[in-house]
Amino acid sequence: MEFTRIIKSLSMGAFVGCFIGLLVAVFISLQVGPQNIRFSGTDIINLFFGCIVAGWGFSLSGLIYEKEDLALPFQVIFQLGIGMVVLLLVAIYLKWMPIDMGIGPVITWILIACVFAAIFWLGFYVYYYLLARDINQKLA
């Protein structure tokens, strides 16, 4: 594995993680009402670093796609499984997940996280599919 490939993966993971974190923060602010939201400096720092670590969990586990001898469904389960475990650990540590509110909100939180993960995975899949198609057309 090339060192530059790992750095590129870490960079993309940090970027996408921060983007999703801010997107979720904006959605929450719009739902609750921006005037009713108060973020402390600690909250912003935790959001920043927590999103980077979660993004790394998804991006580094995404290097599994370089193993061409593994079936795509296994690769997807591996990547999203590792990414979701890292995200859940970060969410529990930083108290993003509403554990004290009962099982309903926790399940809702997990389902929303799965939807975001699936949407972004599908976006990257379509991007790389179209990129490969274009390269193949140029080679033909």
Side-chain angles (χ1 to χ4, degrees):
M1 176 95 26
E2 292 180 33
F3 181 70
T4 56
R5 178 83 174 120
I6 293 171
I7 296 298
K8 185 177 178 182
S9 181
L10 287 171
S11 300
M12 181 60 81
F15 171 76
V16 173
C18 287
F19 175 79
I20 293 172
L22 285 175
L23 187 65
V24 169
V26 167
F27 285 158
I28 291 170
S29 296
L30 291 173
Q31 179 187 13
V32 175
Q35 68 279 4
N36 298 323
I37 294 290
R38 300 286 181 258
F39 291 116
S40 70
T42 303
D43 293 333
I44 293 169
I45 291 168
N46 286 342
L47 178 68
F48 178 72
F49 287 114
C51 289
I52 288 174
V53 171
W56 286 346
F58 282 99
S59 67
L60 287 178
S61 61
L63 296 174
I64 189 80
Y65 297 107
E66 293 181 7
K67 301 281 287 173
E68 295 177 7
D69 56 330
L70 297 174
L72 180 63
F74 175 79
Q75 293 172 329
V76 172
I77 290 168
F78 178 85
Q79 185 206 9
L80 293 181
I82 297 292
M84 289 302 293
V85 166
V86 171
L87 175 62
L88 293 175
L89 291 173
V90 168
I92 291 168
Y93 179 76
L94 293 177
K95 298 180 181 23
W96 292 346
M97 188 180 294
I99 294 175
D100 57 339
M101 296 176 69
I103 193 71
V106 169
I107 290 173
T108 302
W109 192 97
I110 291 171
L111 289 174
I112 290 170
C114 287
V115 167
F116 271 91
I119 288 170
F120 276 85
W121 181 90
L122 188 61
F124 278 103
Y125 178 82
V126 169
Y127 169 77
Y128 286 113
Y129 174 83
L130 294 174
L131 185 66
R133 187 190 68 187
D134 290 346
I135 290 171
N136 286 335
Q137 286 176 348
K138 289 178 182 177
L139 292 175

